[in-house]
Amino acid sequence: MRLLSRKWVWTLVTLFWRNWLTSLGSILATFSALSIIAFVALGFLGLDTPYLGVMAFLVMPALFIVGLFLIPIGLHYDRKKRATRQDEPELYPVFDFNQPRLRRMAGVVAVLTAINLMILSFVSYQGVVFMDSVAFCGTTCHTVMEPEYTTYLNSPHSKVKCVECHIGAGAPWFVRSKLSGVGQVLAVAFNTYSRPVPSPVENLRPARDTCEQCHWPERFTGNRIKVITKFAEDESNTETKTVLLLHIGGGATGQGGIHSWHIDPKKETTYITTDPRREVIPWIHVREADGTVHEFVAREGAPTAEQLAKGQKRTMDCIDCHNRPTHIFKLPDQAMDESLAAGRIDRSLPYIKKVGVEALKQATGPKQEALEKIARRVRDHFQQNYPELVISKKPAIEAAIEEIQAIYRRNIFPSMNVTWGTHPDHIGHERFPGCFRCHDDQHVSKTGKTISQDCSLCHTILAQDEQDPEVLKQLEIK
């Protein structure tokens, strides 16, 4: 038995240690296989990190495959070298399984091949799963993706995987995304990536293949109440509410409404934009369900044929209005209003809305320096104007500072040149052009028809900037 074991070991040694190429291949394959097992074990023990996944399912498998390729290359090189030394023509090898040594060698190769196939199958599957994970998308290239990952975690889609919106189902788009990812990896490796990450994303998959797998436009029916809470920049941070009745509409209701007009499956809206952010839209083409066609051209600064030819032509879908459904960057006043409404900032602190907005706008420089400026601005305000509150309201003041700093961290990323307003949000029209890119009464057809700016098309105002709207009492909405 001991003699048999020695023979098997010697067969293994002579097979994989004939020359430096086979030796290097054996070392790489063995080391990477053991490393994969070790990294997977660490993951099961709860020590999983994105970088551990990169090593376990991307780097080490690549080394493993390289090692496996080097072994047969080395054996071929060795055979050619032996034939040259013996001054004999190179012949195809003769496999005689009557020889015990050849049988042992074949057994070793068969066993190792089976093991290698199992390892490759496992890491290939796990590699695909890992590359589709949120951790891989958001944290592997930390600096580049920090703004997108941070806003994703605070978004309505934080429980939806990145790939479900950016790639969707099916092999073709999966392959396209991975090919695109090669260029992104190279950009990170050579530090040539854009700061900030450009938006909108070019060549994004149509919303009908992604968004509409969960959100069904044909069922967006009826009207919905929306309450917008704001706080004035006065001493008492006066709270006001605007109440809107949104005419949601639906793709097939035939009753009008936002979605019926824009994404009815029986009609098609096409537009040309002449700037990368899709804020300038000089030409719009609408084909109604009955085949009627309307072509609207901007009245002021009408585009030339050359400008239209150079512009980007798109068929309108969800992303043209809901352009930031997940990676949402707030402006200072908007973020302060939301934090005050949610009770994360004590609204009884005098002028806290005004001071918070000012602190956020004035916070410049590296992140830590900006956070210190915010804290100093808020503390100075109370020490200079309300010294009695510095002691009696100290916990509330410190909590307010922490929340204002959190607003900054959620929206500003100096290393990626992301600051206030870097990424416009086109849902609505209050802070960015949004709806008014088209609904401005300035886009006119040949028949004189315009794209109306009438507010009642999309919503009815039930109350506007009122402290205690009667309509909310009638609807029993708090």
Side-chain angles (χ1 to χ4, degrees), residues 228-439:
I228 303 172
T229 303
K230 295 183 179 180
F231 295 84
E233 294 187 0
D234 56 14
E235 185 175 26
S236 58
N237 308 298
T238 303
E239 179 182 2
T240 59
K241 294 181 183 293
T242 295
V243 184
L244 302 176
L245 181 66
L246 296 179
H247 307 314
I248 299 296
T253 62
Q255 300 174 358
I258 299 169
H259 293 92
S260 294
W261 293 318
H262 292 104
I263 54 172
D264 185 336
K266 297 177 182 178
K267 64 188 295 185
E268 181 180 81
T269 300
T270 308
Y271 70 88
I272 292 177
T273 177
T274 55
D275 75 312
R277 287 156 64 106
R278 298 177 188 163
E279 291 187 308
V280 180
I281 302 176
W283 181 90
I284 302 161
H285 180 278
V286 179
R287 181 183 55 77
E288 303 286 357
D290 61 1
T292 305
V293 172
H294 305 284
E295 184 176 306
F296 299 91
V297 180
R299 180 180 291 158
E300 296 183 5
T304 64
E306 183 181 1
Q307 288 174 324
L308 291 177
K310 291 181 178 178
Q312 180 189 12
K313 189 174 184 180
R314 277 181 53 83
T315 299
M316 189 176 189
D317 68 8
C318 309
I319 298 301
D320 291 296
C321 294
H322 300 272
N323 66 315
R324 307 213 70 83
T326 298
H327 307 296
I328 307 168
F329 295 88
K330 305 292 177 64
L331 293 178
D333 65 322
Q334 178 187 13
M336 284 294 297
D337 284 337
E338 291 181 1
S339 292
L340 283 162
R344 294 191 293 269
I345 296 177
D346 187 345
R347 66 183 70 180
S348 70
L349 295 173
Y351 287 108
I352 191 60
K353 165 70 183 292
K354 180 176 185 293
V355 173
V357 171
E358 291 175 352
L360 289 168
K361 290 181 177 179
Q362 295 168 5
T364 57
K367 180 173 285 191
Q368 190 56 42
E369 180 181 328
L371 294 173
E372 291 171 1
K373 286 181 179 179
I374 290 172
R376 187 162 55 249
R377 174 71 181 89
V378 176
R379 291 193 182 107
D380 287 349
H381 162 71
F382 288 103
Q383 288 171 354
Q384 294 170 11
N385 301 292
Y386 302 93
E388 71 281 1
L389 297 182
V390 173
I391 297 175
S392 62
K393 286 277 192 178
K394 183 177 181 180
I397 293 172
E398 293 303 314
I401 290 172
E402 289 181 9
E403 177 59 20
I404 296 170
Q405 289 175 328
I407 290 173
Y408 176 91
R409 283 192 292 266
R410 290 195 295 265
N411 294 282
I412 304 299
F413 304 87
S415 61
M416 287 299 294
N417 294 330
V418 175
T419 186
W420 306 113
T422 296
H423 295 295
D425 188 350
H426 292 312
I427 189 72
H429 51 75
E430 189 174 9
R431 296 175 176 87
F432 296 98
C435 308
F436 292 158
R437 293 173 297 163
C438 301
H439 289 268

